[in-house]
Amino acid sequence: MNIGNLLNIINTHVPFSSAESWDNVGLLLGDENATISGIMTALDCTEEVVDETLENQCNTIICHHPLIFKGIKQITQEDGYGAILRKIIKHDLNIIALHTNLDVYPKGVNAMLADKLELINQHILNPESLSYYKVQVFIPKDHLIEFKNKLSAAGLAEEGDYQYCFFESPGNGQFKPIDGANPHIGELDQISSVEEYKLEFMIDYNQKQLAQQLVIQHHPYETPVFDFIELQREADYGLGMIGNLEKPMNAKAFAKHVKDKLKMPSVRFTGTLDDSIKTVAIIGGSGIGFEYDAINKGADIFITGDIKHHDALDAKISGVNLLDINHYSEYVMKEGLCGLLLDWLDDETTDFNIIASQVNTDPFVYL
Ligand SMILES: [Zn+2]
């Protein structure tokens, strides 16, 4: 299997297009034609992780945090990141980043954290909203089937594993061609009544131009009547996870539970230690800003990392319970991603190892 094949498979599960616009995901460094000798999963691509990858005879690192993120001014041995990049290039390694696209994946980083905390009844905290179009076209009965066939052949009117998803209802179309018209049916200055069908179907947001072009191309009328109605629906992916504890516990006991389950040397809490915790919302990494939304959705506590003093103070004054589990707690994705890759990849074409990095890349020491 080469890197290009791997990227295609990954893209069907955690589409690179579902990453935030400011993010940098996909193949950051390497060659799509390179054959994979082994995959190392990592939270951060540090020099120690690169060394570990080489020691394990792997040539591909899939990391959560993009190695190339901010503007790079030079790639020299003296520059810390430059030295890492030089080593990667010298050893012909491939670096793939799965960042916010893995965050919003239903089985992604937040689900991995929620699983570690043994949350049940898990739901996506902030499902993304998807735009799509409902299309309706009015078409004479004689042309209906052929018209549907053309649209379907072009990949329109598909829903999940179903093709040819049309609804049609009969009716009467009326029109009067006037001077300058070149009517398909009817005569100038005469009102014509035609047995027509209203054909309805749904298309993705990015199919509008194609649909419009096909309707005009395959509709028999000189001026076809059709509408595109823009609508929104909840996507089955999004940021964060909300779920329940099997048994409620007070916030103090819950903080200890989290610390133990995530094997973090410390966690920080703000709020009321006696509060009963049953419903838990979590966004791994830096999820501050979603805490009030989470509480409105029924969470008794909001868990994330990187909480700053003023955010914590605001929450305390508002009576909101927050737990800072440190950004590094996202390390659970290393094992989690190995599991996902094993699920996604075909056993027959996977003749290489998939290993979780054992290097601790937490920049903090806890004193
Ligand atoms: Zn992160």
Coordinates of all heavy atoms in Angstrom, one line a residue, residues 43 64-65 99 103 284-286 327 330, ligand 1:
L43 N 0.8 12.0 19.0 CA 0.1 13.3 19.2 C 0.8 14.4 18.6 O 0.2 15.2 17.9 CB -0.1 13.5 20.7 CG -0.9 14.8 21.1 CD1 -2.3 14.8 20.6 CD2 -0.9 15.0 22.7
H64 N -1.6 13.9 15.3 CA -2.8 14.7 15.5 C -2.4 16.2 15.3 O -3.1 16.9 14.5 CB -3.3 14.5 16.9 CG -4.6 15.2 17.2 ND1 -5.7 15.1 16.3 CD2 -5.1 15.9 18.2 CE1 -6.7 15.7 16.8 NE2 -6.4 16.2 18.0
H65 N -1.4 16.7 15.9 CA -1.1 18.1 15.8 C -0.1 18.3 14.6 O 0.9 17.6 14.5 CB -0.4 18.6 17.1 CG -1.3 18.6 18.2 ND1 -0.9 18.3 19.5 CD2 -2.6 18.9 18.4 CE1 -1.9 18.3 20.3 NE2 -2.9 18.7 19.7
H99 N -6.1 16.3 12.2 CA -6.3 17.2 13.4 C -7.8 17.4 13.6 O -8.5 16.5 14.1 CB -5.5 18.5 13.1 CG -5.4 19.3 14.3 ND1 -5.2 20.7 14.2 CD2 -5.4 19.1 15.6 CE1 -5.1 21.2 15.4 NE2 -5.3 20.2 16.3
D103 N -11.0 15.4 15.2 CA -11.8 15.9 16.3 C -13.3 15.8 16.1 O -14.0 15.5 17.0 CB -11.5 17.4 16.6 CG -10.1 17.6 17.2 OD1 -9.7 16.7 18.0 OD2 -9.5 18.7 17.0
G284 N -11.7 17.7 23.7 CA -10.2 17.5 24.0 C -9.5 18.7 23.4 O -10.0 19.4 22.6
G285 N -8.3 18.9 23.9 CA -7.4 20.0 23.5 C -7.8 21.3 24.1 O -7.8 21.5 25.3
S286 N -8.2 22.3 23.2 CA -8.6 23.6 23.7 C -10.0 23.9 23.3 O -10.3 24.3 22.2 CB -7.7 24.7 23.0 OG -6.4 24.5 23.3
H327 N -4.0 19.8 27.8 CA -4.1 19.5 26.4 C -3.5 18.1 26.1 O -4.0 17.4 25.2 CB -3.4 20.6 25.6 CG -3.8 20.7 24.2 ND1 -4.2 21.9 23.6 CD2 -3.8 19.8 23.2 CE1 -4.4 21.7 22.3 NE2 -4.2 20.4 22.1
E330 N -5.0 14.5 25.2 CA -5.4 14.0 23.9 C -4.5 12.9 23.4 O -4.7 12.3 22.4 CB -5.3 15.1 22.8 CG -6.4 16.2 22.9 CD -6.3 17.1 21.7 OE1 -5.2 17.6 21.4 OE2 -7.3 17.3 21.0
Ligands
ZN1 ZN -4.8 19.3 20.4

